[in-house]
Structures are given as structure tokens and as C-alpha cells.
Amino acid sequence: MPIEWLGNRVKILDQTRLPQEEVYLELDRYQDIASAIVELKIRGAPAIGVAGAYAVALGALKIEARSKREFLEKLQSVTKAIASTRPTARNLFRAIERMEQAAKSAKSVEDIKAALVSEAIKIHTEEAEATRKLSQLGAELIRDGFTILTHCNTGPLATTGYGTALGVIIYAKEQGKKIKVLATETRPLLQGARLTTWELKRAKIPVTLITDSMAGYFMSRGEVDCVIVGADRIAANGDTANKIGTYTLAVLAKENGIPFYVAAPTSTIDLSLASGKEIPIEQRSAAEVTYFQKVCIAPENCEAANPAFDVTPHRYITAIITEKGIIREPYGEGMSKLK
Ligand code: MRU
């Protein structure tokens, strides 16, 4: 299990050590969970949301306050630190909003602490259940014999549940469909090469690892039946932010007449943003690009750009798979009915 609540601490599987080592960490300070999110020890939009909620609960348990007002003031510095870890995943902010709401609704300081722990557990359970449901719904789009191309890592590690894009793939396999996966390595941090292949091997689903730049080759030869990816934030018009490289895959899929699906729980949808232009995109350290697994691959002081996500305009998306249904154009209409 990638994230587990142990009553007064959180156990996480350190995703930066996979696939070489399966190392679990037990963290009891919210600051350590915040660092684990920044360092991608915990990653993937739904998992970031769940970890963020547990971090708020841990921070709250340690607050000493004589009144509800004093408690809520101190809680603000906890939520602020957690909110500043990664800006793109909507699930993190949705989780923090829910935690703040739960704190405001409770009466005494002790009640608030209990309410925050139970709200975090509820968020975890609901995220996991949402990914199971969307995987089941999405599996209907997968036919026997399909080769599916996916990007980044969107399985149980990224969701603490079934998975989003990978959940759909795993569910289709459980239905008895014979499927194959092409997994992109996902430069610069190799979530596809390290994590997706690891999860698919455990699920006994045939997987071939390709570099990101090979996707067009396979699509143009008719060797891809559909593309499924996850999402970090979906704007009200269906524009979708996901791991850098997703937009390229979507354009290539359209050019080659291949369906392009996005799978995400509704907690990833942000109706407050009219379009993808408003989605904040995380910029990460240049060293993640100039280094490949701790080996420097560029001249010293070489400048490098490292946007962690890009935005795929909704016109490239064949359908968005959520736990409440599969929606297609016009997305604006479909999406407002889901929330
Ligand atoms: O930077 P990461 O590894 O957190 O990025 C993860 C992705 O882009 C996933 O596709 C997205 O969070 C959906 S995961 C279910």
C-alpha cells in the first residue's frame, strides 16, 4: 500500500527508490510529508491529495491552543506549507479545502482534531473508491486485443487506490481481455520506466517500455489502438494538465486517428478555471533535466527548462473517464453535471 494511516503517523512507500528497492518510511511530522511530496516520494495527483490530507491531520494533532480561533489560526500555517508543495494537482487543494471545512464545522479543539483525522481517512477511502469505479467504467472502452499507450505513472502508487489510466488497463485485464501496453519512459524523472513497468509486471500485463520520442513511430505504424493518460487538473472546458509530454501524445494520436482518453476522479476537476490557460504549471529544478539518475549528461552550468506538466486542449480528447460517468464534447456541459 503506497500510503497508510497508522493513527499518529503515516507510512509511505518511497517511490524514488523503486524499482530497485521497496523502502517504507514512517512520518509523523507534516513538514516531512510536505518534503516527501516535493521530492516525489509520494506523487500522482490523487496520492498527493491523500498525503496532503494526512499531513494536515498530523499537523493538527500537534497544535496546542486554548480556543477554536487560536487553533484555526495555527492550522493556517500548516495548510499553507502543504499547499505550497506542488501547484498543479487539483486533488491537493480540494483535500486541503475539505480539511479546512471540517475544522471549521467542529466545536472544541479536541473535536476539531478528531474531525480532521476522520476527514483525512474519508478522503483516502473516497479517492480509492472513485478510482475503482472509474476504472470499471473506463474498461468498457478497451477491446480484447488492444495495445494501449500510456504515459507517466497512474496506477495504485499514484492514487493509493486502483489507478486512473492504469486502473482502466488493470480492470480490462481482470475482465479477461488480452491487452498489451506501451509505456513511455517519461523523462525527466522516469515515472513510466521505473513505476508503470513495475506495476504492470506485478499485474501480469505485457508491457513494452519505449522512450517518449518513440510514440509517433508506433502510432504511425498502426500499432496503438488507444492512448489513456491520467490528469493533474481538468479545467471547466475539459482542457487537461498532465505530465509533460501528454500534449505531444494527444496531437500525435489525433493525427493518426487514435482515440485519446483521459481518466481522472472528479476531485481532479477544477470548475473555477474556465480553460487550461489558467492552470498553474509547476516548474521544477533544471538539475532533473541535466542529470539522468545522478549522472550529469550536459555541460557544466548548461541551462535547462523543466515544466512538470503541459496542457492538452479539450479538442484532442476523445473522452474523459470519471467515477461518475464518461463524458465527451461538449465537455463544459458534461462536466458541470458531474460535480
Ligand atoms: O509529477 P508526477 O509524477 O506527480 O505526475 C503524475 C502525473 O502526471 C499523473 O499522470 C497524474 O498525476 C495522474 S495520476 C493518477
Side-chain angles (χ1 to χ4, degrees):
M1 215 190 292
I3 304 181
E4 204 179 335
W5 174 250
L6 299 178
N8 57 358
R9 60 200 195 285
V10 177
K11 185 172 163 187
I12 63 156
L13 174 55
D14 182 350
Q15 299 189 30
T16 60
R17 309 279 286 269
L18 288 171
Q20 285 84 5
E21 291 174 300
E22 233 173 280
V23 176
Y24 287 87
L25 308 171
E26 289 190 13
L27 311 173
D28 66 357
R29 296 171 68 243
Y30 77 87
Q31 295 94 331
D32 293 337
I33 299 192
S35 303
I37 294 174
V38 172
E39 292 161 19
L40 308 188
K41 289 177 178 162
I42 309 166
R43 43 143 303 282
I48 293 171
V50 171
Y54 283 136
V56 176
L58 282 179
L61 288 178
K62 293 203 168 119
I63 291 177
E64 284 176 18
R66 281 179 304 271
S67 68
K68 179 173 172 178
R69 222 182 78 184
E70 189 189 350
F71 185 95
L72 292 179
E73 265 171 30
K74 289 187 173 171
L75 190 67
Q76 264 182 17
S77 60
V78 174
T79 52
K80 214 172 139 199
I82 298 160
S84 66
T85 53
R86 299 194 72 192
T88 306
R90 168 64 190 149
N91 309 57
L92 176 65
F93 301 94
R94 175 85 191 106
I96 292 172
E97 282 159 22
R98 281 183 59 169
M99 295 297 280
E100 284 171 341
Q101 199 47 52
K104 280 180 196 142
S105 310
K107 287 201 177 76
S108 66
V109 166
E110 283 317 304
D111 284 351
I112 302 176
K113 291 185 181 182
L116 287 175
V117 170
S118 60
E119 186 66 9
I121 294 171
K122 199 161 167 240
I123 290 171
H124 191 175
T125 313
E126 284 176 12
E127 277 298 54
E129 178 56 14
T131 64
R132 194 193 62 76
K133 275 198 193 138
L134 74 87
S135 299
Q136 183 178 9
L137 289 177
E140 296 308 318
L141 300 168
I142 309 297
R143 294 216 206 101
D144 196 23
F146 261 22
T147 297
I148 304 152
L149 189 143
T150 191
H151 189 50
C152 197
N153 171 262
T154 60
L157 288 169
T159 60
T160 80
Y162 220 85
T164 56
L166 222 55
V168 171
I169 291 168
I170 294 169
Y171 209 99
K173 146 89 171 95
E174 283 173 6
Q175 288 175 326
K177 293 170 185 161
K178 284 201 171 50
I179 47 175
K180 286 189 280 186
V181 176
L182 285 177
T184 56
E185 62 173 351
T186 320
R187 271 286 282 157
L189 295 170
L190 307 175
Q191 291 92 329
R194 295 185 301 105
L195 309 175
T196 299
T197 52
W198 184 76
E199 289 192 315
L200 286 171
K201 285 204 163 295
R202 281 161 63 113
K204 300 202 171 11
I205 298 173
V207 54
T208 302
L209 176 64
I210 61 171
T211 67
D212 299 350
S213 51
M214 292 175 191
Y217 170 88
F218 288 102
M219 288 195 207
S220 67
R221 290 163 59 98
E223 293 181 32
V224 177
D225 295 297
C226 73
V227 178
I228 315 181
V229 297
D232 275 73
R233 198 183 290 232
I234 305 175
N237 68 346
D239 292 354
T240 294
N242 190 49
K243 180 51 59 196
I244 193 75
T246 301
Y247 170 48
T248 319
L249 293 174
V251 176
L252 277 170
K254 188 160 190 145
E255 167 68 17
N256 288 283
I258 297 166
F260 183 91
Y261 300 120
V262 169
T266 50
S267 50
T268 304
I269 297 173
D270 187 350
L271 292 181
S272 75
L273 305 184
S275 83
K277 288 199 180 80
E278 296 169 44
I279 299 176
I281 300 293
E282 177 184 6
Q283 305 291 327
R284 293 183 64 87
S285 147
E288 291 178 347
V289 176
T290 53
Y291 280 73
F292 188 89
Q293 300 255 289
K294 298 191 180 144
V295 176
C296 187
I297 53 165
E300 215 178 309
N301 298 326
C302 178
E303 287 200 12
N306 191 10
F309 302 95
D310 57 25
V311 174
T312 299
H314 62 89
R315 65 178 179 280
Y316 292 105
I317 301 171
T318 313
I320 298 177
I321 303 158
T322 77
E323 78 280 13
K324 295 190 183 163
I326 297 176
I327 52 171
R328 296 172 190 264
E329 293 279 16
Y331 286 110
E333 230 171 79
M335 210 101 69
S336 55
K337 283 185 198 142
L338 288 179
K339 289 291 262 188

Coordinates of all heavy atoms in Angstrom, one line a residue, residues 15-20 185-195 287-297:
Q15 N 8.6 6.3 -3.4 CA 8.6 5.9 -4.9 C 9.9 6.3 -5.6 O 10.1 5.8 -6.7 CB 7.4 6.7 -5.5 CG 6.1 6.2 -4.9 CD 4.9 6.7 -5.7 OE1 4.9 6.9 -6.9 NE2 3.8 6.9 -5.0
T16 N 10.7 7.1 -4.9 CA 12.0 7.4 -5.6 C 13.0 6.3 -5.6 O 13.9 6.2 -6.3 CB 12.7 8.7 -4.9 OG1 13.0 8.3 -3.6 CG2 11.8 9.9 -5.0
R17 N 12.7 5.3 -4.7 CA 13.6 4.1 -4.6 C 13.2 3.0 -5.5 O 14.0 2.0 -5.6 CB 13.7 3.7 -3.1 CG 14.0 4.8 -2.1 CD 15.5 5.2 -2.0 NE 16.2 4.1 -1.3 CZ 16.4 4.2 0.0 NH1 16.0 5.1 0.7 NH2 17.1 3.2 0.6
L18 N 12.0 3.0 -6.0 CA 11.5 2.0 -6.9 C 12.2 2.1 -8.3 O 12.5 3.2 -8.7 CB 10.0 2.0 -7.0 CG 9.2 1.6 -5.8 CD1 7.7 1.9 -6.0 CD2 9.4 0.1 -5.5
P19 N 12.4 1.0 -9.0 CA 12.0 -0.4 -8.7 C 13.1 -1.1 -8.0 O 12.9 -2.3 -7.6 CB 11.8 -1.0 -10.1 CG 12.8 -0.2 -11.0 CD 12.9 1.2 -10.4
Q20 N 14.3 -0.5 -7.7 CA 15.4 -1.2 -7.2 C 15.1 -1.7 -5.7 O 15.4 -2.8 -5.4 CB 16.7 -0.3 -7.1 CG 17.3 -0.2 -8.5 CD 16.7 0.9 -9.3 OE1 15.8 1.6 -8.8 NE2 17.1 1.1 -10.6
E185 N 8.8 6.1 -21.2 CA 9.7 6.2 -20.0 C 9.4 7.4 -19.1 O 9.5 7.4 -17.9 CB 11.1 6.2 -20.5 CG 11.5 7.4 -21.3 CD 13.0 7.6 -21.6 OE1 13.8 6.8 -21.0 OE2 13.3 8.4 -22.4
T186 N 8.9 8.5 -19.8 CA 8.5 9.8 -19.1 C 9.7 10.5 -18.5 O 9.9 10.5 -17.3 CB 7.4 9.5 -18.0 OG1 6.5 8.6 -18.5 CG2 6.8 10.8 -17.6
R187 N 10.5 11.1 -19.4 CA 11.6 12.0 -19.0 C 11.0 13.2 -18.4 O 9.9 13.6 -18.8 CB 12.4 12.3 -20.2 CG 13.6 11.4 -20.5 CD 14.7 11.5 -19.6 NE 15.6 12.6 -19.9 CZ 16.4 13.2 -19.0 NH1 16.5 12.7 -17.7 NH2 17.1 14.2 -19.3
P188 N 11.6 13.9 -17.4 CA 13.0 13.5 -16.9 C 13.0 12.5 -15.8 O 14.1 12.0 -15.5 CB 13.5 14.9 -16.5 CG 12.3 15.6 -16.0 CD 11.2 15.2 -16.9
L189 N 11.9 12.3 -15.1 CA 12.1 11.5 -13.8 C 11.7 10.1 -13.9 O 11.6 9.3 -12.9 CB 11.3 12.2 -12.7 CG 12.0 13.6 -12.4 CD1 11.1 14.4 -11.4 CD2 13.4 13.4 -11.8
L190 N 11.3 9.7 -15.2 CA 11.2 8.2 -15.5 C 10.1 7.5 -14.7 O 10.3 6.3 -14.3 CB 12.5 7.5 -15.3 CG 13.7 8.2 -16.0 CD1 15.0 7.5 -15.7 CD2 13.5 8.1 -17.5
Q191 N 9.0 8.2 -14.4 CA 7.9 7.5 -13.7 C 7.4 6.3 -14.5 O 6.9 5.3 -14.0 CB 6.7 8.5 -13.5 CG 7.0 9.6 -12.4 CD 7.6 10.8 -13.1 OE1 8.2 10.8 -14.1 NE2 7.3 12.0 -12.5
G192 N 7.4 6.4 -15.9 CA 6.9 5.3 -16.7 C 7.9 4.1 -16.6 O 7.5 3.0 -16.4
A193 N 9.2 4.4 -16.8 CA 10.2 3.4 -16.8 C 10.3 2.7 -15.5 O 10.5 1.5 -15.4 CB 11.6 3.9 -17.3
R194 N 10.3 3.5 -14.4 CA 10.5 2.9 -13.1 C 9.3 2.3 -12.4 O 9.3 1.3 -11.8 CB 11.1 4.0 -12.1 CG 12.5 4.5 -12.6 CD 13.0 5.5 -11.5 NE 12.2 6.7 -11.3 CZ 11.4 6.9 -10.3 NH1 11.4 6.0 -9.3 NH2 10.6 7.9 -10.2
L195 N 8.1 3.0 -12.6 CA 7.0 2.7 -11.8 C 5.9 2.0 -12.6 O 5.3 1.0 -12.1 CB 6.4 4.0 -11.2 CG 7.4 4.9 -10.4 CD1 6.8 6.1 -9.9 CD2 8.0 4.1 -9.2
A287 N 18.3 20.7 -12.7 CA 19.1 19.6 -12.5 C 18.4 18.2 -12.8 O 19.1 17.2 -13.2 CB 19.6 19.6 -11.0
E288 N 17.1 18.2 -12.7 CA 16.4 17.0 -13.1 C 16.5 16.7 -14.6 O 16.3 15.5 -15.0 CB 14.9 17.1 -12.7 CG 14.7 17.1 -11.2 CD 13.3 17.3 -10.7 OE1 12.4 17.6 -11.6 OE2 13.0 17.1 -9.5
V289 N 16.8 17.7 -15.4 CA 17.0 17.5 -16.8 C 18.5 17.3 -17.2 O 18.8 16.5 -18.0 CB 16.4 18.7 -17.6 CG1 16.7 18.6 -19.1 CG2 14.9 18.8 -17.3
T290 N 19.3 18.1 -16.5 CA 20.8 17.9 -16.9 C 21.4 16.7 -16.3 O 22.5 16.3 -16.7 CB 21.6 19.2 -16.4 OG1 21.3 19.4 -15.0 CG2 21.1 20.4 -17.1
Y291 N 20.7 16.1 -15.3 CA 21.2 14.8 -14.7 C 20.3 13.7 -15.1 O 19.0 13.9 -15.2 CB 21.2 14.9 -13.2 CG 22.4 15.6 -12.7 CD1 22.5 17.0 -12.8 CD2 23.5 15.0 -12.1 CE1 23.7 17.7 -12.4 CE2 24.6 15.6 -11.6 CZ 24.7 17.0 -11.8 OH 25.8 17.7 -11.3
F292 N 20.8 12.5 -15.3 CA 20.0 11.3 -15.6 C 20.4 10.4 -14.5 O 21.5 9.8 -14.4 CB 20.3 10.8 -17.0 CG 19.4 9.6 -17.4 CD1 18.3 9.9 -18.1 CD2 19.8 8.3 -17.1 CE1 17.4 8.9 -18.5 CE2 18.9 7.3 -17.5 CZ 17.8 7.6 -18.2
Q293 N 19.4 10.2 -13.5 CA 19.7 9.3 -12.4 C 21.1 9.6 -11.8 O 21.9 8.7 -11.7 CB 19.6 7.9 -12.9 CG 18.2 7.5 -13.4 CD 17.4 6.7 -12.5 OE1 17.7 5.5 -12.3 NE2 16.4 7.3 -11.9
K294 N 21.3 10.8 -11.4 CA 22.5 11.2 -10.6 C 23.8 11.3 -11.5 O 24.8 11.7 -11.1 CB 22.8 10.3 -9.4 CG 21.7 10.3 -8.4 CD 22.1 9.7 -7.1 CE 21.0 9.8 -6.2 NZ 20.8 8.6 -5.3
V295 N 23.6 11.0 -12.8 CA 24.8 11.2 -13.7 C 24.6 12.5 -14.5 O 23.5 12.6 -15.2 CB 24.9 10.0 -14.7 CG1 26.1 10.3 -15.7 CG2 25.1 8.7 -13.9
C296 N 25.5 13.4 -14.5 CA 25.4 14.6 -15.3 C 25.5 14.3 -16.8 O 26.5 13.7 -17.2 CB 26.4 15.7 -14.8 SG 26.1 17.3 -15.6
I297 N 24.5 14.8 -17.6 CA 24.6 14.4 -19.0 C 24.7 15.7 -19.9 O 24.6 15.6 -21.1 CB 23.3 13.6 -19.4 CG1 22.1 14.4 -19.0 CG2 23.4 12.2 -18.9 CD1 20.8 13.9 -19.7

